[in-house]
Amino acid sequence: MTSFVKPFIRRKNEPTNDLGLVRADYDGAMSTLCAGCGHDSVTATMARAFFELSIEPHMAVKVSGIGCSSKTTAYFLRESHGINTVHGRMPSVATGAIAANHQLAYIGVSGDGDSLSIGLGQFVHAMRRNVNMLYVLENNGVYGLTKGQFSAAADIGSTAKKGAVNELPPIDPVSLALSVGATFVARGFSGDRDQLLPLIKAGLKHKGFGLIDVISPCVSFNDHKGSTKSYAHAYKYYNPAIHADYVPPSQQIKAAYAAGEVMPVKLHDGGEIRLRKLENGYDPRDRAAAIGKLFESGESSEIITGLLYINEDHKDMHDMARMEDRPLNQIPYAELNPGAAKLKELQKGFR
Amino acid sequence: MSKIRVNDFTIKVGNVNGTGSASANALLMKIIFRMGVPVVGKNIFPSNIQGLPTWYEIRVTEQGYRGRSGDVDIMVAMNPDSYKRDLAELSPGGILLYDDTWPRPHFLTRSDITVIGVPLARMCNGAFKVARSRILMKNVAYVGAVAALLDLDLDILHTLLREIFAAKPKLIDLNLQAVALGYDYVKQHYPDSNKFKVKTRNLTKDKVMIDGNTAAGLGCVYGGATFGAWYPITPSTSLMDAFVTYCKQLRIHPETGKHKYCIIQAEDELAAAGMIIGAAWNGARCFTPTSGPGISLMSEFIGFAYYAEIPMVLFDIQRTGPSTGMPTRTQQCDIQLCATASHGDTAHILLFPADPGECFDMAVNALDLAERFQTPVFVLSDIDIGMNDWMTDELTWDDSYIPDRGKVLSSEDLKSVDKFHRYLDVDGDHIPYRTIPGTDPKGAYFTRGSGHNKFGGYTEDGAEYKEVVDRLKAKWKSAAEKLPTPIVRRAKQATKTAIISLGSCDGAVIEARDRLGADGVYLNYMRVRGFPFAKEVEDFIAEHDQVFVIEQNRDAQLLGLLLSETNTPRDKLIPLLHYSGEPLDYKFVRGALSEALNLRKTA
Ligand SMILES: Cc1ncc(C[n+]2csc(CCOP(=O)(O)OP(=O)(O)O)c2C)c(N)n1
Ligand code: SF4
Ligand SMILES: [Mg+2]
């Protein structure tokens, strides 16, 4: 079996983006995931986000770990470089890649096993460093690829397909992200593309580490009755609390919005994120409030979604490292070579 | 009265860790070096911050040998806890210098040595008020005492102190005073102790005293590395420290303060490996320094870089294992670990520097080779090379050097390519072309550690899989002739007996061989500097009837590689192994060789 090749057919009158590309130009290889897997919807939404943002595919980089979710970087943006690393270690590879060239758009795709068990350390440290990337965690509460073991995201009381009950408390990536310094923290659901699409766009445009925890059901191993990561459960307890729209700099027409209803957040690229459906004064720029809201919703089993926290003021890794704007991989050697005479001078101290 | 020994003896200082003796010993060594006499310094220190015994050996060697002598002629015993051991180690005819503030009459039980007591503590307590400076100055005072014993050049000593404390002039006087305390006391009380002398020569011109880690860090700067990631571990930490120091000095824009480099202290070695893989994949030259435990942790990623063909430069400053082992003691114990690090069929490129000069050169080589062959390259140094100051030829740089960035397609190159396939052997040299993200839409490809065919596509087809891994093996083999060549020293007379060794064994091997040569025992000697081995290595073995393989580990790891990678009968190679954790000395080598040769003769 070799990789699947998808036929690329361009239809007449297909909508194009600012680059003249159509949505299908953002596709990748054919998915090999199970039919109905939540991850496939997320893939399609990510492709659409890049299309709508008119990002040149070769200026985007996809990174992932290992798992069904991590495989999906092959299934969109075929004209982008992608790297499927090792299990749980995508954040470090992304960190190194971004250190080498911070000017590309980086999207990381991972699973709850990849990020919250084997990769918990790297996940947390990438957030601490505020690495400028969007990290999409496709959360199904199980290890899909190894056939259905509980992951660290499984809720207490959730049952496995074969009946075992999980007794360990879950690690919630969203509250974790809030506590270690991620600067864009959101939750979405693969079943609500209308909410997820603008979140991904906003996350890509945010400068710094953006996390979107996407509830993405595994139809083969965790979609049964009793699972808290099933489609049915997600639909029942789903609360799309805060909606975020990304508005690019070019489209900043004085759209009328009533104060209190929409809250704009300025981004580094000149665009802005407009937040809607704010519940009784909830302000996603307030970290403590975000943490409080999460705990509240946890008690009522409600799955609170939307952009829960954003901070545009924090320096990203590139700025903290005081690197010049030109990427490291573009500095000519002539500027890096101190020269023979300098070497002689440096060695005076060694006599 | 026996003859005075000039410029050929060893001083050993036994002290308590954390009392600031390192700088005193470095000072002592520098004086002799500046007097134009070659020196060898070995720091034998504990894995502890304060309190355990620590030793520093300074060998004075007019002949310029680079290993330890295996003898101690002057013991400066500053640590009562190790007096017994220190006394026992002293060679007959030697001098024991100790602090006789608290006299130890039992030293007199050895009639074959001279005991010199200097009341260092008493004098320093009298002269200095602050408790910490009393301890520190005691060390400087013994430098003065040794200077008197050996007739060291006081002007040089004074100049050195002025240079060292240029930024803290107040300390200059304190130090000068302490030196005088020790110096005057010895001159006054032991005017006839002139068994050992240092006489001025002109043998250290164009030489420097530098440690291998500093040299390697400097090599990374000259080689054009812009990114480094690491996790602290003795004895590799000082390599990154050096890189940081030189980057700060040389790579920060004077006006904007912006950096032309990025260094990340990772959360662990797994992350450090991932970071340099990410940066290299994205076109930055980079490296990670570590030691054995770090290589163990990085192994999964090393296999990924090997299979996905991503350049990776690793410095393994080897320390004694297994596990935490003796983390401040030296060995060459990671040779086989690095040769095939990771699961599955893997084979890596290894470089074996023998001194700081080669650490500098091989850092640059490694950066070139990793990008040329798109694979992990290991520089296998060790504690002895990495953390001791070695007298080395001044490092030199060729300004016409151009980094070999390997087969990378630019946007321009891609224009003339019909379709780019990442793992296709277009040129028949087993090395495919790669592209850097952000260059051109035509250059996009998907990097994976899972099965892939030569086009870069996912595969589970056996034939397609084999095609790629067979090329990887051929690529690795083809690197053999591109690595630093082995260094061969031929004996004065034709001989069928030879030595093969590597890295920090070199100094002791050369000296042992010289001395055996003087006794009429002739041995050819090859020092291998890279793996996979050049054809020359196999030919050299074939030329001889017996080949002693000298290395610093228990399991004859180099020998094992020689057997598996060359066509050599097993019993032709004879292991000579040193693995106590202390740097190798020539006496051990000479002894082991003589014994083995005699046994073979009589057998
Ligand atoms: C070092 C290592 N250990 C174990 C595995 C096996 N493994 C592959 S994917 C996976 C779990 C993936 O779970 P998750 O990240 O949640 O992805 P999903 O398949 O659920 O999308 C495991 C344990 C591996 N690939 N590497
Ligand atoms: S096993 Fe689960 S996670 Fe994996 S592809 Fe199938 S449905 Fe998706
Ligand atoms: Mg999962």
Side-chain angles (χ1 to χ4, degrees), chain B residues 420-547:
Chain B
F420 165 69
H421 293 295
R422 173 64 178 93
Y423 297 115
L424 213 51
D425 183 5
V426 182
D427 302 330
D429 61 356
H430 322 298
I431 304 172
Y433 285 89
R434 66 181 188 123
T435 55
I436 305 300
T439 313
D440 195 283
K442 241 179 162 183
Y445 72 96
F446 197 78
T447 308
R448 61 181 109 231
S450 51
H452 48 269
N453 60 24
K454 64 182 169 191
F455 304 111
Y458 179 80
T459 192
E460 293 180 15
D461 177 290
E464 286 191 347
Y465 161 82
K466 279 171 65 181
E467 195 176 7
V468 172
V469 292
D470 288 346
R471 178 181 55 73
L472 286 179
K473 186 78 189 237
K475 180 178 81 167
W476 172 76
K477 282 197 169 144
S478 75
E481 305 302 328
K482 299 282 169 19
L483 309 183
T485 51
I487 303 223
V488 177
R489 292 171 179 245
R490 299 265 166 200
K492 274 198 301 230
Q493 283 180 19
T495 168
K496 287 286 190 186
T497 308
I499 299 170
I500 290 185
S501 190
L502 81 172
S504 63
C505 298
D506 194 45
V509 171
I510 289 176
E511 183 168 2
R513 188 177 155 272
D514 275 4
R515 293 183 190 258
L516 285 168
D519 295 343
V521 180
Y522 297 107
L523 296 149
N524 291 329
Y525 168 37
M526 170 180 271
R527 175 164 67 86
V528 294
R529 298 198 297 163
F531 179 75
F533 302 122
K535 179 75 174 56
E536 207 186 328
V537 177
E538 186 171 77
D539 295 347
F540 180 81
I541 298 174
E543 242 183 76
H544 297 94
D545 293 338
Q546 54 180 349
V547 178

Side-chain angles (χ1 to χ4, degrees), chain B residues 107 145 314 328 525 558:
Chain B
F107 283 151
L314 305 109
T328 58
Y525 168 37
L558 173 64

Side-chain angles (χ1 to χ4, degrees), chain A residues 1-3 58-59 61-62 71 73-74 78-87 89 92-93 95-101 104 106 121-122 125 129 317 321-324 326 328-329 331 333 335-344 346-347 349-351, chain B residues 30 33-34 207-210 218 222 224 226-227 246 249-251 258-262 264-267 270-271 274-275 278-279 281-284 300-301 304 360 394-397 399 401 403 435-438 440-441 443-447 458-460 464:
Chain A
M1 181 186 72
T2 54
S3 54
H58 79 282
M59 298 302 277
V61 171
K62 305 163 294 179
K71 278 187 182 184
T73 41
R78 65 177 180 280
E79 283 188 351
S80 304
H81 275 71
I83 182 163
N84 213 178
T85 66
V86 298
H87 194 21
R89 319 293 175 201
S92 62
V93 175
T95 302
I98 293 165
N101 183 359
L104 307 176
Y106 292 85
Q122 296 211 345
H125 284 275
R129 293 190 180 98
M317 177 181 76
R322 295 188 188 82
M323 278 186 268
E324 61 173 60
R326 181 178 45 170
L328 291 182
N329 70 1
I331 304 177
Y333 177 66
E335 282 184 48
L336 300 171
N337 174 16
K342 190 79 197 175
L343 186 58
K344 224 175 170 46
L346 288 171
Q347 289 177 92
F350 299 129
R351 285 181 183 284
Chain B
K30 272 266 172 94
F33 172 76
R34 284 212 187 164
K207 306 274 183 193
V208 288
M209 296 292 301
I210 188 171
L218 200 49
Y222 273 80
T226 50
F227 181 76
Y246 293 116
Q249 225 172 309
L250 303 163
R251 295 260 184 89
K258 294 287 187 193
H259 296 189
K260 286 187 181 37
Y261 66 93
C262 175
I264 300 181
Q265 183 184 319
E267 54 272 31
L270 289 84
M275 286 173 191
W281 179 76
N282 213 355
E300 188 187 16
F301 256 137
F304 173 72
F360 178 79
E394 192 180 322
L395 307 177
T396 56
W397 187 248
D399 274 328
Y401 166 79
T435 55
I436 305 300
D440 195 283
Y445 72 96
F446 197 78
T447 308
Y458 179 80
T459 192
E460 293 180 15
E464 286 191 347

Side-chain angles (χ1 to χ4, degrees), chain A residues 153-169:
Chain A
D155 294 301
I156 292 181
S158 190
T159 56
K161 212 175 171 186
K162 286 181 183 160
V165 180
N166 175 52
E167 293 177 346
L168 299 174

Side-chain angles (χ1 to χ4, degrees), chain B residues 42 45 211-213 234-236 238-239 290-292 315-320 327-335 351-356 359 379-388 390 502-506 551-552 581-584:
Chain B
K42 302 290 178 205
F45 61 105
D211 65 78
N213 285 349
T234 305
S236 71
S238 56
L239 198 162
T290 187
S291 191
F315 292 88
D316 177 359
I317 317 303
Q318 297 166 93
R319 63 186 222 183
T320 305
T328 58
R329 301 298 154 97
T330 196
Q331 254 184 11
Q332 298 171 317
C333 49
D334 298 339
I335 301 170
L351 303 180
F352 307 117
D355 65 17
C359 287
V379 182
L380 282 173
S381 174
D382 59 28
I383 291 190
D384 185 7
I385 304 173
M387 293 190 70
N388 285 318
W390 289 55
L502 81 172
S504 63
C505 298
D506 194 45
E551 53 187 310
Q552 297 172 54
E582 291 198 7
L584 190 61

